[in-house]
Amino acid sequence: MSFASDVDKFVKKTEKRIEHAHRYAATKLINDVIDDTPQDSGYAAANWRSGVGSAPAGPVDRTSVAEAKAEALMAIAAWPMGARLEFANYAPYIFSLEFGDSKHRPAGMVRRNIKAFDRNVKRAAKRGA
């Protein structure tokens, strides 16, 4: 093996690890936010929307959290490095849920999971691809 091929092998391995950490952290963040969204009817939790470059516009008439997670997984699978992954919620009362209207999650669902994001990236980077 030459030095150049050793460097090339290292670069490819590192790129895979970075991509793994990139997707793992996004998946964990989105799933945790959806799971932590207070549920009464399920409308707010099911209305998390995900997309590459922009989130799909407007609320959807669904109460299935599984559908929201499936949409997120499809967006993450299509998400190239360097592009924006958008995550939004159009339930009219989502802001109230985030900032204290829920006794179930008074610390919100986005704020508390953003705090764990760095830890999840580090965990994913250690695991590798």
Side-chain angles (χ1 to χ4, degrees), residues 11 23 48 50 54 56 58 69 123:
V11 167
R23 293 186 193 289
W48 285 106
S50 305
S54 65
K69 288 182 175 185
R123 184 180 303 143

Side-chain angles (χ1 to χ4, degrees), residues 52-113:
V52 176
S54 65
V60 288
D61 187 23
R62 67 181 178 204
T63 56
S64 170
V65 171
E67 288 178 32
K69 288 182 175 185
E71 181 179 281
L73 288 175
M74 287 190 318
I76 291 167
W79 182 31
M81 294 287 289
R84 282 179 67 120
L85 178 67
E86 296 282 337
F87 185 58
N89 193 306
Y90 300 101
Y93 49 89
I94 198 68
F95 189 80
S96 295
L97 289 177
E98 177 65 28
F99 289 97
D101 266 11
S102 171
K103 289 180 172 68
H104 177 67
R105 290 274 184 237
M109 53 276 176
V110 176
R111 290 172 295 148
R112 68 187 300 271
N113 284 295

Side-chain angles (χ1 to χ4, degrees), residues 24-38:
Y24 172 84
T27 301
K28 177 103 175 92
L29 174 64
I30 290 172
N31 280 330
D32 288 351
V33 167
I34 292 170
D35 288 342
D36 287 350
T37 301

